[in-house]
Amino acid sequence: MQHITSPDGTRVSYDVYGAGPPLVLVHGSFNDHRTNWEFVKPFFEKQFTVYALARRGGTDATKGHTVEDESRDVSALIDSIEEPVFLLGHSYGAQVALGAAANILDRVRKLVLYEPPWPSTIRSDTLARLEELAQVGNWNELPATLFQETFSIPMQELEELRATEHWPLIVADAEASLEQLRALSRYIFSAERFHGLHVPVLLQVGTESPRDKFVTDTLAAVLPDARVEASPGQAHEGITMAPEQYAASVFRFLAPLKA
């Protein structure tokens, strides 16, 4: 694990692996910089030098931080890399990656965003239930409640996920992820802010996801160079549930890899 220092003095960690042009990964909530990409790593590391950022909340936990703080963390990592990068974010991490790309326009070659959520996606009553679960330490039910109430993940898919070795890792990240949900609920999102983002952008969605929960279509309407691609049969955890299909989508968009 390597480290950089963000503009506010926070130490931010990241892993580096693979070979090829630089690809920066920004993980979502209820995952970390390893588990979010565990199943796509074998595909990515054959094509890219991957910089997998460990967002705040894991190894570098802070309290009360904002989405903008985390975007500046990503910008600092990109600035430390010697050449322009491909940038990819999932869920909350997609909002963070989007902000980072807007911060340093000339350092991002292409941007991939998988279902960045609206701040209003986390309803106040759902957040209150999550806070209640946190107060009694019921971390196992906290992600399940969020996935069902907010992202409408089908029960069968949720049960499949809970039966995998990935679920204990999701639960382990629940406390840090709740801090991120708080940050998201405070975030003021304006699509018009990104009107000047001229890099090519791939906006990914799952066909089984509740599309209105994400800023995908609003971004597609204002970004100068964006396309939307739906992953058939997938929901919010398509990166984990269909990694080969997901990696193929990313490769199609990022090719040709050489400048």
PDB file of all heavy atoms in Angstrom, residues 1 3 46-48 76 85 122 124 128 135 142 146 162 166-167 170 198 208 222 225 241 244 251:
ATOM      1  N   MET A   1       0.847  -1.195   0.000  1.00  0.00           N
ATOM      2  CA  MET A   1       0.000   0.000   0.000  1.00  0.00           C
ATOM      3  C   MET A   1       0.880   1.241   0.000  1.00  0.00           C
ATOM      4  O   MET A   1       1.836   1.330   0.760  1.00  0.00           O
ATOM      5  CB  MET A   1      -0.931  -0.007   1.210  1.00  0.00           C
ATOM      6  CG  MET A   1      -1.857   1.185   1.273  1.00  0.00           C
ATOM      7  SD  MET A   1      -3.144   1.034   2.534  1.00  0.00           S
ATOM      8  CE  MET A   1      -4.281  -0.060   1.685  1.00  0.00           C
ATOM      9  N   HIS A   3       0.988   5.779  -0.272  1.00  0.00           N
ATOM     10  CA  HIS A   3       0.269   6.881   0.363  1.00  0.00           C
ATOM     11  C   HIS A   3       0.577   8.206  -0.331  1.00  0.00           C
ATOM     12  O   HIS A   3       1.669   8.402  -0.857  1.00  0.00           O
ATOM     13  CB  HIS A   3       0.655   7.000   1.843  1.00  0.00           C
ATOM     14  CG  HIS A   3       0.557   5.735   2.611  1.00  0.00           C
ATOM     15  ND1 HIS A   3      -0.622   5.278   3.149  1.00  0.00           N
ATOM     16  CD2 HIS A   3       1.504   4.804   2.915  1.00  0.00           C
ATOM     17  CE1 HIS A   3      -0.405   4.120   3.758  1.00  0.00           C
ATOM     18  NE2 HIS A   3       0.882   3.820   3.625  1.00  0.00           N
ATOM     19  N   LYS A  46      -4.312  -6.918 -16.439  1.00  0.00           N
ATOM     20  CA  LYS A  46      -3.661  -7.345 -17.682  1.00  0.00           C
ATOM     21  C   LYS A  46      -3.561  -6.200 -18.694  1.00  0.00           C
ATOM     22  O   LYS A  46      -2.764  -6.272 -19.638  1.00  0.00           O
ATOM     23  CB  LYS A  46      -4.438  -8.506 -18.310  1.00  0.00           C
ATOM     24  CG  LYS A  46      -4.381  -9.795 -17.508  1.00  0.00           C
ATOM     25  CD  LYS A  46      -5.208 -10.879 -18.179  1.00  0.00           C
ATOM     26  CE  LYS A  46      -5.188 -12.164 -17.364  1.00  0.00           C
ATOM     27  NZ  LYS A  46      -6.028 -13.231 -17.992  1.00  0.00           N
ATOM     28  N   GLN A  47      -4.367  -5.174 -18.513  1.00  0.00           N
ATOM     29  CA  GLN A  47      -4.445  -4.088 -19.483  1.00  0.00           C
ATOM     30  C   GLN A  47      -3.941  -2.751 -18.950  1.00  0.00           C
ATOM     31  O   GLN A  47      -3.549  -1.885 -19.735  1.00  0.00           O
ATOM     32  CB  GLN A  47      -5.901  -3.912 -19.945  1.00  0.00           C
ATOM     33  CG  GLN A  47      -6.511  -5.136 -20.607  1.00  0.00           C
ATOM     34  CD  GLN A  47      -6.022  -5.328 -22.023  1.00  0.00           C
ATOM     35  OE1 GLN A  47      -5.430  -4.426 -22.618  1.00  0.00           O
ATOM     36  NE2 GLN A  47      -6.245  -6.506 -22.582  1.00  0.00           N
ATOM     37  N   PHE A  48      -3.958  -2.576 -17.621  1.00  0.00           N
ATOM     38  CA  PHE A  48      -3.696  -1.262 -17.034  1.00  0.00           C
ATOM     39  C   PHE A  48      -2.723  -1.348 -15.862  1.00  0.00           C
ATOM     40  O   PHE A  48      -2.618  -2.384 -15.205  1.00  0.00           O
ATOM     41  CB  PHE A  48      -4.996  -0.638 -16.500  1.00  0.00           C
ATOM     42  CG  PHE A  48      -6.090  -0.521 -17.511  1.00  0.00           C
ATOM     43  CD1 PHE A  48      -7.120  -1.444 -17.555  1.00  0.00           C
ATOM     44  CD2 PHE A  48      -6.099   0.525 -18.430  1.00  0.00           C
ATOM     45  CE1 PHE A  48      -8.145  -1.335 -18.485  1.00  0.00           C
ATOM     46  CE2 PHE A  48      -7.116   0.639 -19.365  1.00  0.00           C
ATOM     47  CZ  PHE A  48      -8.137  -0.292 -19.396  1.00  0.00           C
ATOM     48  N   ALA A  76      -5.644  14.576  -5.933  1.00  0.00           N
ATOM     49  CA  ALA A  76      -4.261  14.535  -5.463  1.00  0.00           C
ATOM     50  C   ALA A  76      -3.549  13.287  -5.957  1.00  0.00           C
ATOM     51  O   ALA A  76      -2.376  13.339  -6.363  1.00  0.00           O
ATOM     52  CB  ALA A  76      -4.223  14.600  -3.935  1.00  0.00           C
ATOM     53  N   VAL A  85      -4.759   9.992 -16.937  1.00  0.00           N
ATOM     54  CA  VAL A  85      -5.277   8.690 -16.500  1.00  0.00           C
ATOM     55  C   VAL A  85      -6.674   8.432 -17.049  1.00  0.00           C
ATOM     56  O   VAL A  85      -7.387   9.350 -17.451  1.00  0.00           O
ATOM     57  CB  VAL A  85      -5.333   8.622 -14.959  1.00  0.00           C
ATOM     58  CG1 VAL A  85      -3.980   8.990 -14.340  1.00  0.00           C
ATOM     59  CG2 VAL A  85      -6.436   9.527 -14.390  1.00  0.00           C
ATOM     60  N   ILE A 122     -30.963   8.648  -0.702  1.00  0.00           N
ATOM     61  CA  ILE A 122     -31.055   8.176   0.673  1.00  0.00           C
ATOM     62  C   ILE A 122     -32.144   8.982   1.376  1.00  0.00           C
ATOM     63  O   ILE A 122     -31.933  10.116   1.795  1.00  0.00           O
ATOM     64  CB  ILE A 122     -29.720   8.346   1.423  1.00  0.00           C
ATOM     65  CG1 ILE A 122     -28.561   7.796   0.587  1.00  0.00           C
ATOM     66  CG2 ILE A 122     -29.777   7.667   2.786  1.00  0.00           C
ATOM     67  CD1 ILE A 122     -28.675   6.340   0.253  1.00  0.00           C
ATOM     68  N   SER A 124     -34.763  10.362   4.094  1.00  0.00           N
ATOM     69  CA  SER A 124     -34.520  10.683   5.500  1.00  0.00           C
ATOM     70  C   SER A 124     -34.994   9.563   6.417  1.00  0.00           C
ATOM     71  O   SER A 124     -34.345   9.265   7.430  1.00  0.00           O
ATOM     72  CB  SER A 124     -35.203  12.003   5.875  1.00  0.00           C
ATOM     73  OG  SER A 124     -36.606  11.928   5.633  1.00  0.00           O
ATOM     74  N   ALA A 128     -32.612   7.392   8.876  1.00  0.00           N
ATOM     75  CA  ALA A 128     -32.940   7.275  10.300  1.00  0.00           C
ATOM     76  C   ALA A 128     -32.916   5.812  10.738  1.00  0.00           C
ATOM     77  O   ALA A 128     -32.428   5.484  11.833  1.00  0.00           O
ATOM     78  CB  ALA A 128     -34.317   7.891  10.577  1.00  0.00           C
ATOM     79  N   GLN A 135     -26.821   2.357  16.059  1.00  0.00           N
ATOM     80  CA  GLN A 135     -26.815   2.587  17.505  1.00  0.00           C
ATOM     81  C   GLN A 135     -26.801   1.288  18.291  1.00  0.00           C
ATOM     82  O   GLN A 135     -26.201   1.215  19.378  1.00  0.00           O
ATOM     83  CB  GLN A 135     -28.020   3.444  17.908  1.00  0.00           C
ATOM     84  CG  GLN A 135     -27.898   4.910  17.516  1.00  0.00           C
ATOM     85  CD  GLN A 135     -29.113   5.720  17.893  1.00  0.00           C
ATOM     86  OE1 GLN A 135     -30.053   5.214  18.522  1.00  0.00           O
ATOM     87  NE2 GLN A 135     -29.119   7.002  17.523  1.00  0.00           N
ATOM     88  N   LEU A 142     -27.688  -3.452   8.355  1.00  0.00           N
ATOM     89  CA  LEU A 142     -27.594  -2.099   7.815  1.00  0.00           C
ATOM     90  C   LEU A 142     -27.424  -2.097   6.295  1.00  0.00           C
ATOM     91  O   LEU A 142     -28.212  -1.443   5.590  1.00  0.00           O
ATOM     92  CB  LEU A 142     -26.471  -1.333   8.519  1.00  0.00           C
ATOM     93  CG  LEU A 142     -26.461   0.182   8.319  1.00  0.00           C
ATOM     94  CD1 LEU A 142     -25.909   0.899   9.547  1.00  0.00           C
ATOM     95  CD2 LEU A 142     -25.634   0.582   7.095  1.00  0.00           C
ATOM     96  N   LEU A 146     -30.300  -0.889   3.381  1.00  0.00           N
ATOM     97  CA  LEU A 146     -30.019   0.118   2.360  1.00  0.00           C
ATOM     98  C   LEU A 146     -30.238  -0.438   0.959  1.00  0.00           C
ATOM     99  O   LEU A 146     -30.881   0.197   0.110  1.00  0.00           O
ATOM    100  CB  LEU A 146     -28.582   0.617   2.496  1.00  0.00           C
ATOM    101  CG  LEU A 146     -28.163   1.619   1.422  1.00  0.00           C
ATOM    102  CD1 LEU A 146     -28.799   2.977   1.682  1.00  0.00           C
ATOM    103  CD2 LEU A 146     -26.654   1.744   1.343  1.00  0.00           C
ATOM    104  N   ARG A 162     -25.513 -12.257  -0.032  1.00  0.00           N
ATOM    105  CA  ARG A 162     -25.299 -12.560   1.390  1.00  0.00           C
ATOM    106  C   ARG A 162     -24.670 -13.934   1.582  1.00  0.00           C
ATOM    107  O   ARG A 162     -24.039 -14.185   2.624  1.00  0.00           O
ATOM    108  CB  ARG A 162     -26.614 -12.467   2.157  1.00  0.00           C
ATOM    109  CG  ARG A 162     -27.202 -11.085   2.209  1.00  0.00           C
ATOM    110  CD  ARG A 162     -28.466 -10.999   3.027  1.00  0.00           C
ATOM    111  NE  ARG A 162     -28.197 -10.925   4.445  1.00  0.00           N
ATOM    112  CZ  ARG A 162     -29.013 -10.359   5.333  1.00  0.00           C
ATOM    113  NH1 ARG A 162     -30.154  -9.797   4.941  1.00  0.00           N
ATOM    114  NH2 ARG A 162     -28.711 -10.335   6.597  1.00  0.00           N
ATOM    115  N   HIS A 166     -18.140 -12.379  -0.007  1.00  0.00           N
ATOM    116  CA  HIS A 166     -18.063 -10.923  -0.098  1.00  0.00           C
ATOM    117  C   HIS A 166     -18.893 -10.249   0.992  1.00  0.00           C
ATOM    118  O   HIS A 166     -18.569  -9.133   1.419  1.00  0.00           O
ATOM    119  CB  HIS A 166     -18.555 -10.490  -1.486  1.00  0.00           C
ATOM    120  CG  HIS A 166     -18.151  -9.110  -1.896  1.00  0.00           C
ATOM    121  ND1 HIS A 166     -16.839  -8.722  -2.025  1.00  0.00           N
ATOM    122  CD2 HIS A 166     -18.896  -8.014  -2.192  1.00  0.00           C
ATOM    123  CE1 HIS A 166     -16.790  -7.460  -2.399  1.00  0.00           C
ATOM    124  NE2 HIS A 166     -18.025  -7.004  -2.504  1.00  0.00           N
ATOM    125  N   TRP A 167     -19.953 -10.894   1.455  1.00  0.00           N
ATOM    126  CA  TRP A 167     -20.876 -10.252   2.393  1.00  0.00           C
ATOM    127  C   TRP A 167     -20.227  -9.860   3.721  1.00  0.00           C
ATOM    128  O   TRP A 167     -20.437  -8.726   4.192  1.00  0.00           O
ATOM    129  CB  TRP A 167     -22.097 -11.129   2.647  1.00  0.00           C
ATOM    130  CG  TRP A 167     -23.132 -10.437   3.488  1.00  0.00           C
ATOM    131  CD1 TRP A 167     -23.419 -10.657   4.803  1.00  0.00           C
ATOM    132  CD2 TRP A 167     -23.992  -9.370   3.077  1.00  0.00           C
ATOM    133  NE1 TRP A 167     -24.411  -9.812   5.235  1.00  0.00           N
ATOM    134  CE2 TRP A 167     -24.778  -9.011   4.193  1.00  0.00           C
ATOM    135  CE3 TRP A 167     -24.183  -8.692   1.867  1.00  0.00           C
ATOM    136  CZ2 TRP A 167     -25.731  -8.002   4.141  1.00  0.00           C
ATOM    137  CZ3 TRP A 167     -25.136  -7.687   1.808  1.00  0.00           C
ATOM    138  CH2 TRP A 167     -25.898  -7.352   2.936  1.00  0.00           C
ATOM    139  N   ILE A 170     -18.600  -6.620   3.257  1.00  0.00           N
ATOM    140  CA  ILE A 170     -19.570  -5.524   3.167  1.00  0.00           C
ATOM    141  C   ILE A 170     -19.997  -5.091   4.566  1.00  0.00           C
ATOM    142  O   ILE A 170     -20.054  -3.899   4.883  1.00  0.00           O
ATOM    143  CB  ILE A 170     -20.793  -5.949   2.324  1.00  0.00           C
ATOM    144  CG1 ILE A 170     -20.387  -6.125   0.857  1.00  0.00           C
ATOM    145  CG2 ILE A 170     -21.943  -4.958   2.466  1.00  0.00           C
ATOM    146  CD1 ILE A 170     -21.479  -6.677  -0.028  1.00  0.00           C
ATOM    147  N   HIS A 198     -15.298  18.008 -20.900  1.00  0.00           N
ATOM    148  CA  HIS A 198     -15.294  17.616 -22.304  1.00  0.00           C
ATOM    149  C   HIS A 198     -14.673  16.250 -22.562  1.00  0.00           C
ATOM    150  O   HIS A 198     -14.598  15.829 -23.714  1.00  0.00           O
ATOM    151  CB  HIS A 198     -14.565  18.678 -23.138  1.00  0.00           C
ATOM    152  CG  HIS A 198     -15.328  19.964 -23.254  1.00  0.00           C
ATOM    153  ND1 HIS A 198     -16.360  20.142 -24.147  1.00  0.00           N
ATOM    154  CD2 HIS A 198     -15.233  21.117 -22.560  1.00  0.00           C
ATOM    155  CE1 HIS A 198     -16.856  21.363 -24.019  1.00  0.00           C
ATOM    156  NE2 HIS A 198     -16.190  21.979 -23.054  1.00  0.00           N
ATOM    157  N   GLU A 208     -31.642  -3.809 -14.201  1.00  0.00           N
ATOM    158  CA  GLU A 208     -32.531  -4.141 -13.088  1.00  0.00           C
ATOM    159  C   GLU A 208     -32.491  -3.086 -11.982  1.00  0.00           C
ATOM    160  O   GLU A 208     -33.168  -3.244 -10.966  1.00  0.00           O
ATOM    161  CB  GLU A 208     -32.134  -5.511 -12.507  1.00  0.00           C
ATOM    162  CG  GLU A 208     -32.105  -6.634 -13.535  1.00  0.00           C
ATOM    163  CD  GLU A 208     -33.377  -6.693 -14.362  1.00  0.00           C
ATOM    164  OE1 GLU A 208     -34.463  -6.845 -13.756  1.00  0.00           O
ATOM    165  OE2 GLU A 208     -33.293  -6.597 -15.603  1.00  0.00           O
ATOM    166  N   VAL A 222     -26.351  16.822 -20.106  1.00  0.00           N
ATOM    167  CA  VAL A 222     -25.546  18.040 -20.045  1.00  0.00           C
ATOM    168  C   VAL A 222     -24.085  17.819 -20.432  1.00  0.00           C
ATOM    169  O   VAL A 222     -23.414  18.771 -20.841  1.00  0.00           O
ATOM    170  CB  VAL A 222     -25.605  18.692 -18.641  1.00  0.00           C
ATOM    171  CG1 VAL A 222     -27.035  19.050 -18.277  1.00  0.00           C
ATOM    172  CG2 VAL A 222     -24.989  17.799 -17.583  1.00  0.00           C
ATOM    173  N   ASP A 225     -19.796  14.979 -24.114  1.00  0.00           N
ATOM    174  CA  ASP A 225     -19.376  13.752 -24.792  1.00  0.00           C
ATOM    175  C   ASP A 225     -19.641  12.565 -23.876  1.00  0.00           C
ATOM    176  O   ASP A 225     -18.742  12.061 -23.203  1.00  0.00           O
ATOM    177  CB  ASP A 225     -17.890  13.841 -25.150  1.00  0.00           C
ATOM    178  CG  ASP A 225     -17.406  12.652 -25.977  1.00  0.00           C
ATOM    179  OD1 ASP A 225     -18.221  11.766 -26.298  1.00  0.00           O
ATOM    180  OD2 ASP A 225     -16.195  12.599 -26.288  1.00  0.00           O
ATOM    181  N   MET A 241     -21.282  -9.071  -9.482  1.00  0.00           N
ATOM    182  CA  MET A 241     -22.107 -10.202  -9.910  1.00  0.00           C
ATOM    183  C   MET A 241     -21.809 -10.645 -11.345  1.00  0.00           C
ATOM    184  O   MET A 241     -22.057 -11.794 -11.700  1.00  0.00           O
ATOM    185  CB  MET A 241     -23.593  -9.839  -9.775  1.00  0.00           C
ATOM    186  CG  MET A 241     -23.999  -9.377  -8.375  1.00  0.00           C
ATOM    187  SD  MET A 241     -23.588 -10.550  -7.071  1.00  0.00           S
ATOM    188  CE  MET A 241     -24.742 -11.886  -7.443  1.00  0.00           C
ATOM    189  N   GLU A 244     -16.949 -10.312 -15.696  1.00  0.00           N
ATOM    190  CA  GLU A 244     -16.442 -10.411 -17.066  1.00  0.00           C
ATOM    191  C   GLU A 244     -17.227  -9.496 -17.993  1.00  0.00           C
ATOM    192  O   GLU A 244     -16.652  -8.804 -18.844  1.00  0.00           O
ATOM    193  CB  GLU A 244     -16.511 -11.860 -17.550  1.00  0.00           C
ATOM    194  CG  GLU A 244     -15.864 -12.075 -18.908  1.00  0.00           C
ATOM    195  CD  GLU A 244     -15.729 -13.535 -19.268  1.00  0.00           C
ATOM    196  OE1 GLU A 244     -16.184 -14.395 -18.490  1.00  0.00           O
ATOM    197  OE2 GLU A 244     -15.164 -13.827 -20.337  1.00  0.00           O
ATOM    198  N   PHE A 251     -13.530  -2.093 -21.270  1.00  0.00           N
ATOM    199  CA  PHE A 251     -12.497  -2.210 -22.304  1.00  0.00           C
ATOM    200  C   PHE A 251     -12.975  -1.634 -23.635  1.00  0.00           C
ATOM    201  O   PHE A 251     -12.211  -0.970 -24.338  1.00  0.00           O
ATOM    202  CB  PHE A 251     -12.082  -3.668 -22.499  1.00  0.00           C
ATOM    203  CG  PHE A 251     -11.342  -4.257 -21.327  1.00  0.00           C
ATOM    204  CD1 PHE A 251     -11.225  -5.627 -21.191  1.00  0.00           C
ATOM    205  CD2 PHE A 251     -10.753  -3.460 -20.364  1.00  0.00           C
ATOM    206  CE1 PHE A 251     -10.540  -6.181 -20.120  1.00  0.00           C
ATOM    207  CE2 PHE A 251     -10.072  -3.996 -19.284  1.00  0.00           C
ATOM    208  CZ  PHE A 251      -9.963  -5.363 -19.168  1.00  0.00           C
TER     209      PHE A 251
END
